[in-house]
Amino acid sequence: AQSVTQLGSHVSVSEGALVLLRCNYSSSVPPYLFWYVQYPNQGLQLLLKYTTGATLVKGINGFEAEFKKSETSFHLTKPSAHMSDAAEYFCAVRAKAGTALIFGKGTTLSVSS
Amino acid sequence: DTAVSQTPKYLVTQMGNDKSIKCEQNLGHDTMYWYKQDSKKFLKIMFSYNNKELIINETVPNRFSPKSPDKAHLNLHINSLELGDSAVYFCASSQGQGNTEAFFGQGTRLTVV
């Protein structure tokens, strides 16, 4: 069965600092991996996804993630945090066609000035 | 133009009542989903429909019944509401079920009192 583990339920950074949100997955087949962001009282918005090909994926708002098969990881990074990045971030996996996205428990990102 | 729209956005009701949440997508997608987000923000898949056919039915009380009149609509009916049903319910859609992302609605916050 597929699953996602997000290490750290809460990450705090200063404005301008590096953002690193960790995601590890478990899947018996090559997975499709996604990062979503959720702002308060809103739905989920796709940040980026990995399907095949280049393992470094660039997304919206300056975020990127790297798929590392050997480490079963798909960590999300942003070189310089902005106050507007404060939100809930979810990593998700879909192992194969016919299955739904399986989400991690989320990481709350706080950004201080 | 809202891609995935849910109504109502907020729903407050008493225990034992029956209520419905409606979802419509104008993206031309063939697959729709219902997710439940609990108070700890954990997102769990409930149902998935592909071209009006039920393809995913997770362990959900049979008080919850999805209905898909056409591939652009997926409604959720809940009978005999219980306090534990209080959550945010998200509708989502995708084209296919493989490497494509899901697009989410704004959510329906259900409060059972």
Side-chain angles (χ1 to χ4, degrees), chain A residues 32 34 36 38 41-44 46 49 51 88 90 94 96-105 108, chain B residues 9-10 33 35 37 40-43 45 55-56 90 94 96-106 109:
Chain A
Y32 304 125
F34 307 81
Y36 281 84
Q38 183 180 28
N41 298 315
Q42 293 190 28
L44 280 76
L46 181 73
K49 66 177 181 180
T51 54
E88 192 79 18
F90 293 94
R94 176 186 277 146
K96 60 180 181 180
T99 62
L101 289 174
I102 302 300
F103 286 87
K105 293 189 175 182
T108 303
Chain B
K9 190 174 170 91
Y10 299 97
Y33 312 84
Y35 280 85
Q37 187 174 44
K40 296 184 179 179
K41 301 202 172 174
F42 181 54
L43 280 154
I45 181 70
I55 56 170
I56 295 174
F90 284 100
S94 67
Q97 309 143 57
N99 62 358
T100 56
E101 64 270 29
F103 290 76
F104 283 78
Q106 294 296 294
R109 183 175 294 276

